[in-house]
Amino acid sequence: MGKKIKLFDPSVGFEEQQVTQQVLKSHFWASGAGIGYVKKFEDSFKKYIDSDDCIAVNSGTAALNLALSLMDLKGKEVIVPSLTFVATINAILLNGGKPVFVDVEPHTMCVDPNQIEKLITKKTKVILPVHYAGMSCSLDKIEQICKKNDLVLIEDAAHAAGAKFMGKRIGSHGIIVCFSFHPVKNLAMPTGGLIAINDSGHRKMRDVLLARRWCGITNRNNFGYDVKEAGWNYYMNEISAAIGLVQLKKLDAMNSIRRQIAKRYSKEINLEGKMPFDENCSYHLYWIMVKNRKRFMEKMFNAGIETGIHYRPVHTMSLYKKNVSLPMTETAGKEIVSIPVHQNLSDTKVDRIIRGINENA
Ligand SMILES: Cc1ncc(COP(=O)(O)O)c(C=O)c1O
């Protein structure tokens, strides 16, 4: 058996180490009084995705919680996939809303736009799709549904840094788009997230979000500040932002390696159920569908290849338990397996992964 192959592995180069040292030595680790990396990261990411505004926070979870706090969700419904990380759904609950689960398409594992309209009621306020694995959902169709029914489109783009839809980067479409920069993500930081805004009212939204990002603090001046409503401590730190700026410079190159690997998987893995190849996808994950999943994952583990499950469908967990029929989501819940796809995989490792799957699935 060769060396263990990790499911996730961030790229850690000389530059990341250098900027970390620099921030450490500056003694200004938090934002605000720091060297200004957080603001620089916001500006650079805004330029990269071409959005109206960007607000950096300390996780994708914080981005979702904060973004949905703008929506006055009490007693309102949010249409959302169940095949996602629990943070997507928690953000709805914590803001007083009700998740209404929608099934996913078999080829993308993203929200099936044809299943949305029958779920819309008088209480529906938001549609919250997830760009699962970095594959964009059908944003054009979902945008049309939102327009027709006067709903707000908020995207969970935790997997989609660098992905595109119709020639434009994810982050430039929906009114609010939430990113995660968790260490396993395509753009990795020790901890980080971001809210992108595309709306003529973005300056007003920015002011509200900035206050809520740091304990509700407003009207800062040399002598103090005021608080008009409660907020959280969701600020990104300077070390994360500095690392994020380095990662952003190489994001396209890293995503291109992910895509080359995904292209090989889509051609060489002998399985019916597997992620298709798409030039616009950021391939945060690469999924396959395997009938005897537990045995398969054990065999892969014994061959030194890590695999994972993304995700157990949220509607099957105690807190969110719902009697809904989501056939594709439930099939994925039983059969989906994530295999390694990241910039640190050599051709030989990719060969080993493909061989392992073709022999054991
Ligand atoms: C789809 C999705 N949404 C939200 C999040 C939350 O991001 P974070 O871990 O940065 O809080 C994740 C992270 O795993 C995710 O995969």
Side-chain angles (χ1 to χ4, degrees), residues 59-62 64 84-85 87-88 130 156 158-159 180-182 185 192 311:
S59 68
T61 303
L64 286 160
T84 184
F85 183 52
T88 321
V130 176
D156 183 335
H159 300 179
S180 161
F181 306 126
H182 180 282
K185 296 296 192 297
Y311 298 91

Side-chain angles (χ1 to χ4, degrees), residues 201-219:
H202 66 91
R203 287 203 179 80
K204 217 164 144 200
M205 285 157 100
R206 179 180 179 83
D207 288 344
V208 176
L209 289 172
L210 289 189
R212 289 183 189 170
R213 176 173 73 169
W214 193 35
C215 300
I217 286 170
T218 55
N219 302 80

